[in-house]
Amino acid sequence: MLAANWKMNPTSAGEAAELVKAIADAARGQQQVTVAVFPPFVWLLGVLELLEGTSLQLGAQDCYWEPSGPFTGEVSAAMLAGICQWVIVGHSERRAMGETDEQVARKAGAALAAQLTTIICVGENQEQMDAGRASEVVAAQVTAALAQASADDSGRLVLAYEPIWAIGTGKNAGPEHAYGMMRLLRETASGIIGERAGLHLRVIYGGSVNAANIESYVELPQCDGCLVGGASLKAEEFSAMIRSTAGVYATAGS
Ligand code: PGA
């Protein structure tokens, strides 16, 4: 799968429409890759209308765990479930604003309970990486985030390994490092929700993925796809990424 995390972009409904149309065109006619776009909340409904008759799926970039109530500015997983199939929780850009492991676990729990396919992001920062603590940090994040998950959720569970030092920096993780960490994500999750469920869930990589390096990830045996930020805003580049991913999957499947 490829997830297009638009973050706080584009800044107008017109640009969002243009981008989603271009991505839909690129995804048309191929069945190998599930492509999901994650616009800002405010563009979700407009984009949803444009998705009719396309193969694209829709997701939100965050959610709140309570279904409704006095939570100014929040959008619940339950509300999103009526509009989209996917949600991202625990992105490092939200953790950097103070989101805790416990909050990520509550968001993931609510999202899974609302039947949303849920991408849980984890990843170490540069300092933790340099100190040789990447595995320890990431395993702890996965363990905390899955506090409310069960084996029944595995089909809707996606773990994204997103090293913070690789996000938006152009310094993508080497495929070997990414492979080891994605294996760790799956093993850690298996220890919590069970071996079979662990095989079933998806594990993806994110962090400076672009048209030039995407194949090196999607061809990894542990990798079920990529979470793409900056490059997903460039229609031509993201279209090329869909095509090359479909090519890798077609070769692997033949
Ligand atoms: P990037 O962002 O592709 O711009 O590095 C990835 C992400 O934050 O999900």
Side-chain angles (χ1 to χ4, degrees), residues 6 9-21 42-43 46-47 50:
W6 293 355
N9 303 290
T11 51
S12 75
E15 284 171 273
E18 246 175 67
L19 182 57
V20 79
K21 281 183 201 158
V42 71
W43 309 139
V47 168
L50 297 170

Side-chain angles (χ1 to χ4, degrees), residues 226-241:
C226 289
L227 181 49
V228 185
S232 75
L233 295 168
K234 300 176 193 154
E236 258 180 50
E237 177 160 19
F238 194 65
S239 300
M241 293 164 81

Side-chain angles (χ1 to χ4, degrees), residues 5 7 91-93 162 166-170 206-209 227-231:
N5 177 15
K7 309 191 178 183
H91 192 282
S92 61
E93 287 157 10
E162 292 214 308
I167 295 177
T169 59
S208 294
V209 181
L227 181 49
V228 185

